[in-house]
Amino acid sequence: MKKIVIIGAGASGVYLSILLKQKNPCYEVIVLEQNKAPLKKLLATGNGRCNLSNQKMNSKYYQSDNQELVQSIIQDFDMVQQMQKIGLYCTYQGDLLYPKSEQALTVKNVFMQRSEEKGVIFAYDQEVTQIQKHKHQYLITTTSQQILADAIVLAMGSEAGKLSGMNHSRYDLLKQLQLKIIEPMPSLVQFYTSPAIKSLKGVRVKGTFSLIENQQCIHKEKGELLFTDYGVSGIAVMQLSSFYKKHHNYQLYIDFFDEISHNQLCQLLSNQTSLFLEGLINHKLAVYFQKYQHLSIEKLASLLKHYPLNIQGVREASYAQVMKGGLSLDNVTEDLELKQYPHIYAIGEILNVAGMCGGYNLHFALASACHVVEAIEREKYVKNS
């Protein structure tokens, strides 16, 4: 009997366990999880609705050090078909794919039910501290036991999100194995800004938002922004944060009137009554902008279409949806097998693959699990031939 140990009971690890047992019921599949329960982070995905994939699936929506490998993994994975195989019915809402129930809890329940039905063994409160070669196997040491494995899959995720388990031991483990690590940093996360306009806390703005450095536009997003007491949040901000790099000086430009031109906005402003900007924008914004009453209509229009905020940084990992960085794809073969360690694979967010908002990260997590199962199957047939 082949013993495969999966380190991490997140989406990629649990899904992998199902696929392994489907292909080979005789395999002993053990999932080690450092938390007290599986799939904790999945429950928060898509605000609890679990956005699984996107119609516009392409590697250009990911940041990685091997875009070609990412493309090869995501392109042939049909999320609707694959989820239906395990009893999860999904439907598209526009470009976004959700479970029919629109509940992440449903996804968790289906995943766990299928894995437990097939005899997957789960062990919780198991922080892995060391992996060593042991003859033709690997010896895994956790905080409470040692396990011999014929194959290992690293599916530890990252420390993004408050539900992920916020220790750094996953990176310590990679360093012990002398693997190349791209420095992890929060992505799909909020910005700290200067000023942080506390009087606008809770105000939502629809518009176009641009990440600017040295007067050059790095990226722009149309959507919604939320003012907070520390800076700004919202889906558009989360998307922009994926382009943020350390030690760069950025500004965020807000176009409050992206649906009309500068000249059209000037015309609107010239028709204003004595109530400054009331009727044009949110009341709290109108009050905030009263300090600019002295400006000419031309300058006021320019300000409303290019309102600048200095970006002081991104919020911490505990607030992020994903982390950029992690295990460099230079370490792995096309099968996601570690080049230095035969029969050790890596999947999901532990890899240096970070997608945009919109189901891209879950798609890669599950697609990479499927990719590794196919690689293990090929290896089995090569050995038996």
Side-chain angles (χ1 to χ4, degrees), residues 149-268:
D150 298 302
I152 298 171
V153 183
L154 306 176
M156 301 96 81
S158 73
E159 73 269 43
K162 293 180 179 178
L163 300 175
S164 63
M166 289 297 296
N167 65 59
H168 291 264
S169 62
R170 69 200 85 200
Y171 301 119
D172 293 338
L173 193 61
L174 299 181
K175 288 174 184 175
Q176 280 180 26
L177 295 171
Q178 296 184 316
L179 299 170
K180 179 182 175 182
I181 303 168
I182 308 298
E183 182 186 4
M185 71 172 290
S187 186
L188 305 187
V189 69
Q190 306 89 345
F191 283 136
Y192 289 111
T193 66
S194 176
I197 311 172
K198 296 185 178 182
S199 64
L200 296 180
K201 180 182 177 180
V203 172
R204 293 182 181 275
V205 172
K206 286 184 168 59
T208 296
F209 313 99
S210 303
L211 185 67
I212 305 294
E213 183 178 27
N214 298 325
Q215 301 303 311
Q216 297 295 313
C217 181
I218 307 302
H219 188 74
K220 66 171 57 179
E221 283 286 330
K222 183 178 175 67
E224 187 176 82
L225 174 147
L226 172 68
F227 286 100
T228 69
D229 55 0
Y230 57 79
V232 289
S233 182
I235 294 295
V237 169
M238 301 279 199
Q239 301 284 45
L240 288 175
S241 73
S242 66
F243 296 89
Y244 178 90
K245 296 178 181 177
K246 281 185 177 180
H247 313 302
H248 286 245
N249 294 317
Y250 296 107
Q251 285 186 308
L252 176 69
Y253 277 19
I254 302 173
D255 184 350
F256 292 99
F257 291 90
D258 62 342
E259 73 281 9
I260 60 175
S261 68
H262 174 89
N263 289 339
Q264 288 172 317
L265 181 54
C266 286
Q267 184 62 47
L268 278 179

Side-chain angles (χ1 to χ4, degrees), residues 255-324:
D255 184 350
F256 292 99
F257 291 90
D258 62 342
E259 73 281 9
I260 60 175
S261 68
H262 174 89
N263 289 339
Q264 288 172 317
L265 181 54
C266 286
Q267 184 62 47
L268 278 179
L269 293 172
S270 66
N271 293 334
Q272 273 290 95
T273 64
S274 57
L275 288 172
F276 185 70
L277 296 184
E278 286 287 353
L280 296 184
I281 55 177
N282 178 283
H283 169 69
K284 284 187 176 180
L285 277 169
V287 171
Y288 176 77
F289 273 98
Q290 281 180 358
K291 61 185 179 182
Y292 299 111
Q293 289 184 77
H294 64 283
L295 294 179
S296 68
I297 285 177
E298 283 282 334
K299 288 184 177 179
L300 182 59
S302 291
L303 190 64
L304 289 168
K305 287 191 69 65
H306 304 90
Y307 190 76
L309 292 172
N310 293 316
I311 295 173
Q312 300 297 98
V314 293
R315 292 196 88 189
E316 297 76 15
S318 60
Y319 297 97
Q321 291 185 22
V322 297
M323 300 290 285
K324 291 192 294 187

